[in-house]
Amino acid sequence: MSTENLPQSPEQQLRKPRVAVVFGGRSSEHGISVVTAGAVLRAIDRTKYDVLPIGITSDGRWALTADEPERMAITERRTPSVEELAESDEGGVVLSVDPGSREVVYSEPGSVPKALGEVDVVFPMLHGPYGEDGTLQGLLELSGVPYVGSGVLASAVGQDKEYMKRVFLSFGLPVGPYEVIRPREWAADPAAARKKIVDFAGEHGWPLFIKPARGGSSMGITKVDGLAGLDDAIAEAQRHDPKILVESLLRGREIECGVLEFEDGPRASVPAEIPPVSSHDFYDFEAKYIDSAPGLVPAPLTEEQTAEVQRLAVEAFDAASCEGLVRADFFLTEDGEFVINEINTMPGFTPISMYPRMWQESGVSYTELVDRLIQAALNRSTGLR
């Protein structure tokens, strides 16, 4: 059911829109989600919006948290958690699934449930499964609450790298060689599953990247130079996801481009380049978030290359039916061709993250970026659209 035409009470018409910032979650990217939410909480214009921070613990409990973004930062190479921020070890937040109500209720064992008021829009800052993959988006659709970012389908496609690549190929976008090993293949015949990877290496050469098929933030990814490290790499990927993706090394430059939905449609930012990091084998989790490896914004590309990667980024956004925002990641190969690696429907969103930096360079400040995303969500109905 669309909530676009729900009548507003006089109180709703007078009060500021209420934004629920939802973060944390059950995925291995829990800590990065908390860091990202802290940056967004700092940036939201409190003169325009009321804010309700809601954290999801690692075991899935929705918790009321303090509005204290200064506690939501990486300290001593360690990411924060919702458990540290929750106002209670037992209390839970419940969002109504009645599309005629956007009421949020808080309850603790032995206490009378407390109404926290209605929410006008959700800013879901979750990364990975159980949040970025369409699951939370489906709940919000049932609840009739508008939200920032892509809907159920695009979120699911953007999370599963296998189906993302299949969609891109069907729209004629350039994709590098890959192989997928599903859980049932490991269960039925582990030796045959492993042989698929070895045969893939025989066709495309070493090194390979072994990664979770439905992961993010470069977690669980291993660069493997030969048979000796293969089994450990498989085990590390499966620690994050029972389905794994195998990719060949594409030699070239790593280029990223942000896409943001404006009133007249999606537009691409200036692109950025991720240069090789001497202290890391590739742009892994620690290089991104712990050591804050710098990217080049804008990327040193020709005008023609810039226009081409921007065109491909918007095409990828449209191919996956995305909404709101996307970061598209590419390789510029040694023969001068762009190959799309993946899209991220809820990219890292701290001020030092590449997506906000690219838009800052494109003339959209961090605060304006957050505001534009909230306004776009408020103006978009739930349901089929």
Side-chain angles (χ1 to χ4, degrees):
M1 172 181 174
S2 171
T3 61
E4 186 176 24
N5 298 314
L6 283 178
Q8 288 189 317
S9 67
E11 292 79 8
Q12 287 176 311
Q13 293 171 5
L14 291 173
R15 66 175 174 81
K16 293 181 287 188
R18 197 167 200 212
V19 182
V21 178
V22 181
F23 59 94
R26 294 164 54 189
S27 82
S28 55
E29 297 178 77
H30 177 103
I32 291 303
S33 172
V34 178
V35 174
T36 300
V40 170
L41 286 171
R42 280 190 291 272
I44 291 178
D45 185 348
R46 303 307 176 97
T47 67
K48 293 180 64 174
Y49 306 105
D50 285 329
V51 178
L52 178 66
I54 299 174
I56 302 178
T57 63
S58 297
D59 61 2
R61 177 173 63 92
W62 287 46
L64 193 63
T65 67
D67 187 3
E68 299 176 359
E70 65 276 4
R71 296 173 56 197
M72 303 165 70
I74 295 174
T75 55
E76 298 179 350
R77 304 178 70 86
R78 178 180 167 275
T79 57
S81 70
V82 169
E83 285 78 357
E84 298 166 345
L85 299 163
E87 294 191 348
S88 165
D89 293 334
E90 296 182 308
V93 174
V94 177
L95 178 66
S96 172
V97 293
D98 176 1
S101 169
R102 297 173 180 175
E103 188 79 23
V104 176
V105 175
Y106 177 74
S107 62
E108 289 191 70
S111 300
V112 176
K114 177 184 177 184
L116 299 179
E118 292 191 342
V119 166
D120 297 291
V121 64
V122 169
F123 204 134
M125 302 310 305
L126 295 114
H127 298 306
Y130 311 110
E132 190 183 354
D133 59 350
T135 50
L136 177 63
Q137 290 75 15
L139 172 64
L140 296 173
E141 291 286 351
L142 289 172
S143 301
V145 180
Y147 53 93
V148 170
S150 290
V152 175
L153 173 65
S155 297
V157 168
Q159 188 65 45
D160 192 313
K161 294 178 176 62
E162 174 193 359
Y163 288 96
M164 181 196 307
K165 291 177 186 291
R166 289 180 181 273
V167 167
F168 291 159
L169 284 168
S170 72
F171 277 82
L173 290 163
V175 172
Y178 71 97
E179 183 63 85
V180 177
I181 314 294
R182 293 181 172 80
R184 66 175 180 270
E185 296 181 74
W186 295 110
D189 192 340
R194 187 178 187 277
K195 185 177 182 298
K196 279 182 68 174
I197 300 176
V198 175
D199 290 346
F200 181 83
E203 180 179 358
H204 299 286
W206 301 92
L208 301 178
F209 287 92
I210 311 295
K211 58 177 65 175
R214 295 163 290 195
S217 296
S218 296
M219 300 184 80
I221 300 176
T222 306
K223 182 183 177 185
V224 183
D225 294 313
L227 290 172
L230 182 58
D231 292 333
D232 286 344
I234 292 170
E236 173 60 16
Q238 289 178 324
R239 195 166 66 84
H240 297 266
D241 186 349
K243 181 166 83 166
I244 70 171
L245 188 77
V246 182
E247 294 176 337
S248 62
L249 174 68
L250 291 176
R251 301 187 186 279
R253 299 160 61 187
E254 291 190 51
I255 306 296
E256 298 183 348
C257 190
V259 180
L260 180 64
E261 196 167 12
F262 286 76
E263 291 78 8
D264 59 351
R267 302 181 198 170
S269 70
V270 299
E273 179 170 4
I274 308 299
V277 183
S278 58
S279 58
H280 295 266
D281 204 22
F282 62 99
Y283 195 46
D284 61 6
F285 175 83
E286 290 213 349
K288 282 183 180 179
Y289 297 107
I290 305 299
D291 296 329
S292 299
L296 303 176
V297 187
L301 300 170
T302 66
E303 288 186 12
E304 292 77 12
Q305 289 172 328
T306 296
E308 176 65 3
V309 75
Q310 289 174 326
R311 180 186 69 80
L312 290 170
V314 172
E315 284 192 12
F317 182 96
D318 286 336
S321 297
C322 295
E323 295 170 287
L325 73 163
V326 150
R327 192 194 70 230
D329 301 345
F330 297 85
F331 291 104
L332 177 56
T333 63
E334 293 176 338
D335 61 4
E337 299 297 321
F338 283 103
V339 174
I340 187 164
N341 183 37
E342 64 183 56
I343 57 170
N344 195 316
T345 56
M346 187 51 70
F349 218 86
T350 69
I352 65 169
S353 297
M354 297 306 296
Y355 184 84
R357 286 182 61 197
M358 287 186 286
W359 279 108
Q360 176 81 42
E361 190 67 26
S362 304
V364 181
S365 71
Y366 188 85
T367 299
E368 183 185 349
L369 184 60
V370 170
D371 184 70
R372 178 171 286 279
L373 288 168
I374 293 172
Q375 286 297 320
L378 285 168
N379 291 329
R380 187 169 60 232
S381 66
T382 56
L384 297 177
R385 54 189 183 274

